[in-house]
Amino acid sequence: MSTPRPRNATGDSFFAWEGDILIVNILGKPSASKDAIGKPKGTQLKVSVTAAPKGGKATDHMVRFLAPLFGVAVADIEVVFGQENVNKQLRIKAPKKMPAVFAQASLLEDDRA
């Protein structure tokens, strides 16, 4: 029997690495004017999508929007929790690209160390 993953796997950041898996906490904003990655807000990354929040469709749209930005297939992104909630966690398998906000956050963490 496997041990359930903790929801706070990212600690004080909005993302963390577990091997080659990128774990990202998301604060979703459905029905936005455009699809966009925003700024980190505490331990979550704000992601806006144009899709309406009906039956998890906004989350599905978000995954399709994020996949090419990370250089992965849609199937490589798992919604751990929050399919029908603005608070969600994603696990992205072996991302080949990283949006700029991740590099900026990594630099800030390096400054704190």
Side-chain angles (χ1 to χ4, degrees), residues 49 51-64 79 82-85 88:
V49 293
K54 296 209 191 291
K57 289 188 191 288
T59 299
D60 292 343
H61 181 89
M62 179 183 294
V63 168
R64 287 191 305 274
V79 179
Q83 179 68 33
E84 296 186 20
N85 192 301
K88 54 189 91 258

Side-chain angles (χ1 to χ4, degrees), residues 28-43:
K29 183 178 185 316
S31 302
S33 59
K34 64 179 183 172
D35 295 336
I37 293 179
K39 294 181 179 175
K41 183 173 181 177
T43 59

Side-chain angles (χ1 to χ4, degrees), residues 69-91:
L69 298 178
F70 286 96
V72 299
V74 170
D76 291 330
I77 300 179
E78 173 194 358
V79 179
V80 179
F81 62 82
Q83 179 68 33
E84 296 186 20
N85 192 301
V86 295
N87 301 301
K88 54 189 91 258
Q89 187 174 84
L90 305 179
R91 290 174 58 86

Side-chain angles (χ1 to χ4, degrees), residues 4-32:
R5 290 187 290 267
R7 286 184 173 219
N8 64 345
T10 61
D12 293 336
S13 179
F14 66 89
F15 73 98
W17 288 95
E18 193 175 272
D20 67 345
I21 306 284
L22 176 64
I23 302 168
V24 185
N25 292 328
I26 302 284
L27 174 61
K29 183 178 185 316
S31 302

